[in-house]
Amino acid sequence: MGGLTVIDLGQAYQGPYAGFLMAKAGADVVRVEPLHGDSTRQRAKVRQGALLPYAMLNANKRGVTLNLKTDRGRALLIEMAKRADVLIENFAPGVMDRLGVGWETLQKENPRLVYASGTGFGLTGPDRDRLAMDVIVQAYSGVMSVTGFPGSRPVKAGIAVADFLGGTHLYAAILTALYERNRTGKGRMVEVAMQEAVYPALASSLGPDSRQRLGIDPHWQSPQRIVGRAVVRLRGRRWSRGHRLRQGRPLAPADLGDGATGTPVPIPDS
């Protein structure tokens, strides 16, 4: 991506991660923050080491501060957008438009601009204006319902899975738009909702529920409760294998519970 200029207005993880991927691929990424800095900077005041995610996600980027609530700040951003290839933002829907620097304004100044918007629930639809942090999307999408143990309450995934999946999809959307621009000469707006980005990952938990209806259930594939082991079950002409997390001793077939014989199981043709 050498030769591409990216304006990164991202906040927290979703937008900055998309910008981070572009920077790693060689693009010139300019990180734009408000005068008080991104919210992830403030976490350093809470506990030691909390600034590390900010440092990681903003590696290989140049930085500048702008006050987009002033005429001067907005004018500077527009001038930057005239010379940019991509602009990334993950403000709440409508914020950039209210500031006067949204897609409609910027694409008139630079028709080749790819404008990438990341949100929690999309720019349209009934949930458009719901504020969305990672934990909210995890709960709303069903991720928390498939995390934990049978019979337990929903549990938040330890990592910001919705933020980072949203950032990955936003990066892919940008690449798709840049490919299209190479053919048409025109930029476009792309948007990614974290909720929609998370849904494909839930496919790994699709299966019959307690009443044998198709649903999302994390435990249908492995009904036994395994504590303290990492178990890998492979199908095809491979062996089912498992390893204890601490002792390091390979598990015998009997350790794996019902149905694990330790013999190769061919995958059916259909």
Side-chain angles (χ1 to χ4, degrees), residues 14 117-123 137 166 169 191-198:
Q14 184 191 16
S117 172
T119 64
F121 300 103
L123 295 176
V137 176
H169 280 71
E191 64 152 317
V192 169
M194 287 194 291
Q195 184 186 28
E196 293 177 346
V198 163

Side-chain angles (χ1 to χ4, degrees), residues 27 86 97 114 166 200 221 240 262 266:
V86 178
D97 292 327
V114 172
Q221 299 180 65
S240 296

